[in-house]
Amino acid sequence: MKRSWKTAKTVLAVGMSAALLLTACGKGGSSADGNAKDENGNYKEQLTISAANLINLKEGQLDNEFHKYWMDKFNIKWDYSYIDWDSWAEKLRLWINSGDLPDVAVWNYVHGDAMNYIDQGLLYKFPDDWKTRWPNVAAAYKLTGLGDKLEELTGGTYVLPRPVYYENKPADPLLNQIGVIAIRKDWAEKVGFQLKDVYTTSEVNDYARLIKEKDPGKAGSKLVPIAYNSGDALTNFVMANSEHSRVESAFYKGEDGKFHWGPADPETLTGLKVMQQAFKEKLLDPEFYTWKSSEGTDKFRVNGVAGVMSLGGLASYRQDLNTNMKKNLGVDSDALVHTALVTGDDGKYRNLEQANFWSALIFNPKISKAKFERIMDLIDYSVSKEGQLVLNMGFEGKDWKYDENKQLVSTLPEGKSLEDKYPSRFEGLYLLGDDFSVINPAIKKEYRDRAVELYKEKAKLSTEGGKMATYDWDVQLYDSKAKNQAGFDYATEYTNLILQPGDLEANWKKWVQSKMSIVQPVLDELNNPKK
């Protein structure tokens, strides 16, 4: 999503638009019996819940029918603040350490930090019987894998890892949704570039050269052959050639049984060379490294001047692309856009094995029993079939219906999305929207089918000669001061390398050596574990 893997997220597109990251105000404070209900099953006492979210909730939007439904159903009032993506990690860190964590928040899970916060009593400890009280949450929680691992380490539940998939997993093994690009199909046809399901990184550059030379879209000086920002370039140039070049997979056990640091692998240099070539030839925008959030993708979907963008693998992302191109360019994207995977120049497909969680819900350690239970009641309902339909489809009879074959049918007008009708929906606090997007009839069937097709192709390519970075729980849950210090911002590091004057290989070797004082202690710890 942008996700930690787009990790691509990321991002947030519809797959991510249901994600809650919730507000920095108040700590708990209602009576323990605040969840008493009347004879009709309605909560008697209204509770104010503080929440912080990446979704930009604008003035007046809480008054729409969708938000009112959730507030009325659970008799809550949101105390809500928007958090900018770029400040998410730091802001949560400050809140947690200062004791100002909101009642509930979505946090981009970092294992070492989690263990430290738990040791210091900075996160709420769930009651021992919570899985019995909230079975829907418990069932989804179990599928994350991380939940059970953390309970083994801590003796309780302090964190709710958020499941990516629950009932609609698209492929096995499951690869991260990152690593899917969109290209202008009409431009490819005009310049004689073959449409395929899989391209090498250098083939993508070949396409970019052709459109730079021939300018089939008549974009002139505004043309951006490849509209990647630094994060996109890491995914689609470097990771495509080196599966251990990202922070999520940087430390790994090699075939020799020893642990290595992926950014020092020669495959990482290969990816950097392709990336630098694209920059030197102005296939990338000269200012690509300054772009934030959607500035790169907007060149493709809003301005219509780009030939390639990083899309990601969710069907909802493709739907959003179509909506944006209709809204901003007045065109139907189906005749203009082709989606594909990217491999390394050796033809091998690389990606990250997807652990079935992204980010986590955490609670203020001083939250009242009443507030905690009310939030959990809401979350448990949101994971249920009925709750998922409301979150992802809207209201039966108004936004969707069952047809004569008992199949879900969206009744929204052509070209209008649920986000258009009910902006800034943040109430899907737990289960990510990726799961429902696989079956969501509000998303065009062709986009859903293509997304599943590419997920399956990723799984096939990864197991048939590919180089998937497997999710190693021992490495991911290994915690030490040295490892916590070795989490570099690789998108920025790699961008700085390809911008440096001089020989790239020599600069890369110097860079690797400069990091070894931080990296080597981690490798020593992993290769020589304490008994």
Side-chain angles (χ1 to χ4, degrees), residues 267-278:
E267 292 86 355
T268 298
L269 176 60
T270 299
L272 289 169
K273 287 180 176 178
V274 182
M275 179 179 168
Q276 187 181 66
Q277 193 65 36

Side-chain angles (χ1 to χ4, degrees), residues 14-15 165 168-171 177 180 311-322 333-334 339 389 392-393 400-401 403 406-411 433-457:
V14 169
Y165 291 101
N168 301 298
K169 185 177 177 181
Q177 58 83 22
V180 176
L311 178 65
L314 300 185
S316 56
Y317 295 172
R318 181 65 183 86
Q319 179 107 329
D320 280 350
L321 175 59
N322 187 58
S333 70
D334 290 2
T339 55
L389 286 172
N392 295 287
M393 297 289 294
W400 63 273
K401 65 180 182 179
D403 66 13
K406 301 297 183 183
Q407 298 298 308
L408 287 170
V409 177
S410 172
T411 57
D434 307 43
D435 187 73
F436 198 83
S437 74
V438 177
I439 61 168
N440 191 343
I443 298 174
K444 195 171 181 178
K445 185 177 185 301
E446 288 80 1
Y447 300 158
R448 288 184 278 129
D449 290 346
R450 178 63 171 169
V452 172
E453 179 185 347
L454 290 178
Y455 265 114
K456 290 181 176 178
E457 185 69 9

Side-chain angles (χ1 to χ4, degrees), residues 113-325:
D113 289 347
M115 300 304 289
N116 289 333
Y117 295 153
I118 292 168
D119 286 344
Q120 296 176 61
L122 297 176
L123 301 180
Y124 179 79
K125 186 178 187 295
F126 285 38
D128 292 340
D129 65 348
W130 76 266
K131 294 177 185 176
T132 302
R133 170 78 182 269
W134 297 287
N136 294 323
V137 181
Y141 167 90
K142 187 168 185 60
L143 294 179
T144 68
L146 178 60
D148 288 343
K149 296 282 185 181
L150 288 177
E151 288 182 21
E152 292 173 11
L153 293 171
T154 65
T157 304
Y158 298 85
V159 171
L160 285 182
R162 303 177 69 225
V164 180
Y165 291 101
Y166 183 31
E167 296 181 333
N168 301 298
K169 185 177 177 181
D172 190 22
L174 180 64
L175 278 293
N176 196 285
Q177 58 83 22
I178 60 176
V180 176
I181 61 170
I183 72 170
R184 282 294 294 263
K185 176 166 60 173
D186 55 330
W187 291 6
E189 291 168 348
K190 287 180 180 178
V191 301
F193 185 74
Q194 183 183 1
L195 295 175
K196 301 191 296 183
D197 288 337
V198 182
Y199 296 104
T200 67
T201 48
S202 287
E203 285 177 327
V204 175
N205 279 356
D206 290 342
Y207 168 64
R209 289 187 191 97
L210 286 171
I211 61 173
K212 181 173 182 285
E213 175 188 351
K214 299 183 179 181
D215 192 10
K218 307 301 179 188
S221 62
K222 296 180 180 179
L223 176 66
V224 181
I226 301 175
Y228 294 165
N229 62 23
S230 292
D232 300 330
L234 164 55
T235 296
N236 299 301
F237 282 129
V238 186
M239 188 198 76
N241 284 283
S242 179
E243 69 274 21
H244 295 293
S245 59
R246 299 180 63 95
V247 69
E248 302 90 350
S249 58
F251 293 100
Y252 71 98
K253 183 179 284 189
E255 293 180 358
D256 59 358
K258 298 289 186 181
F259 283 93
H260 301 266
W261 184 53
D265 292 345
E267 292 86 355
T268 298
L269 176 60
T270 299
L272 289 169
K273 287 180 176 178
V274 182
M275 179 179 168
Q276 187 181 66
Q277 193 65 36
F279 179 73
K280 285 184 172 180
E281 294 186 35
K282 296 184 178 178
L283 307 179
L284 288 168
D285 188 274
E287 303 295 323
F288 84 97
Y289 53 89
T290 68
W291 286 347
K292 303 294 184 184
S293 189
S294 65
E295 286 183 78
T297 54
D298 283 352
K299 299 292 183 184
F300 190 103
R301 62 185 188 169
V302 174
N303 308 120
V305 296
V308 182
M309 67 168 272
S310 185
L311 178 65
L314 300 185
S316 56
Y317 295 172
R318 181 65 183 86
Q319 179 107 329
D320 280 350
L321 175 59
N322 187 58
T323 299
N324 273 281
M325 292 183 76

Side-chain angles (χ1 to χ4, degrees), residues 60-91:
Q61 287 182 339
L62 269 179
D63 295 332
N64 76 38
E65 180 183 4
F66 185 88
H67 295 303
K68 281 186 173 181
Y69 171 83
W70 293 89
M71 289 188 287
D72 291 347
K73 184 174 181 64
F74 293 94
N75 199 9
I76 58 175
K77 180 181 178 182
W78 291 113
D79 180 6
Y80 181 94
S81 299
Y82 163 62
I83 301 177
D84 181 78
W85 178 276
D86 294 330
S87 65
W88 178 22
E90 182 59 26
K91 190 160 285 189

Side-chain angles (χ1 to χ4, degrees), residues 27-30 98-99 101-103 121-125 363-369 371:
K27 306 172 186 157
S30 180
S98 65
L101 186 67
D103 293 322
L122 297 176
L123 301 180
Y124 179 79
K125 186 178 187 295
F363 295 78
N364 188 296
K366 296 181 181 179
I367 190 173
S368 70
K369 181 174 184 286
K371 285 190 177 184

